[in-house]
Amino acid sequence: MSGILWGAVVDTVVTTLTDALTVDVWDAEPAAADITGVVVGAVLGSEEGAAGNMAQEYRDLGPAARKTETGAIACYAIATTGDDDLAAMRSAVCDMVGDISDVLRAEVHIGLGAALSVEVTAGTPRQGRTPGGCFALLPFDINYRALL
């Protein structure tokens, strides 16, 4: 394992969610526009490819000192439809984020022994209508804390 856990957490989250959810899961922003599913490791609308953040802090002094890493993986749930059922799209994204929270709470360490906690924090919901239908979107972060 490298000195930074962020990449391993992203990989494990993508695999865990792909195995557990009944919707599509993308690792970073997909090329398609009209999608329904979960995007892991992407800040919506970021032209620079922003994907989250991480920080480390040493807990002791000396060469054997351990450190704590905290980080966030930017994600969003999105649902689109060709009709005008906005309520169904809102419900779909809220259900997706709820399912993700349940999955991660059931396996707190997500297969990474170093991960002390992994949890979901929701962001600002978005919704709207387009000429092709309607959409709902719920950005959220998957936060983690690990002892390395």
Side-chain angles (χ1 to χ4, degrees):
M1 181 181 310
S2 77
I4 298 174
L5 194 60
W6 189 89
V9 175
V10 173
D11 294 343
T12 304
V13 164
V14 169
T15 300
T16 300
L17 296 182
T18 299
D19 292 347
L21 300 179
T22 58
V23 297
D24 290 330
V25 176
W26 291 274
D27 187 352
E29 203 129 79
D34 293 332
I35 61 172
T36 294
V38 176
V39 178
V40 177
V43 173
L44 183 68
S46 170
E47 294 180 15
E48 299 84 30
N53 62 69
M54 56 78 51
Q56 292 184 343
E57 182 178 311
Y58 279 95
R59 299 171 55 91
D60 298 309
L61 299 174
R66 296 187 76 183
K67 54 189 169 181
T68 299
E69 180 174 311
T70 56
I73 304 163
C75 306
Y76 60 90
I78 184 168
T80 59
T81 184
D83 59 33
D84 197 37
D85 193 353
L86 197 50
M89 297 303 95
R90 279 192 301 269
S91 179
V93 295
C94 289
D95 288 348
M96 284 183 238
V97 174
D99 291 346
I100 291 165
S101 184
D102 291 346
V103 166
L104 295 178
R105 286 194 173 277
E107 181 56 49
V108 176
H109 300 290
I110 61 170
L112 295 169
L116 299 176
S117 66
V118 179
E119 59 186 30
V120 173
T121 58
T124 304
R126 301 178 189 184
Q127 62 183 14
R129 291 184 170 82
T130 68
C134 64
F135 71 93
L137 186 139
L138 182 55
F140 63 95
D141 286 338
I142 297 176
N143 297 315
Y144 71 92
R145 181 175 182 83
L147 181 61
L148 304 177

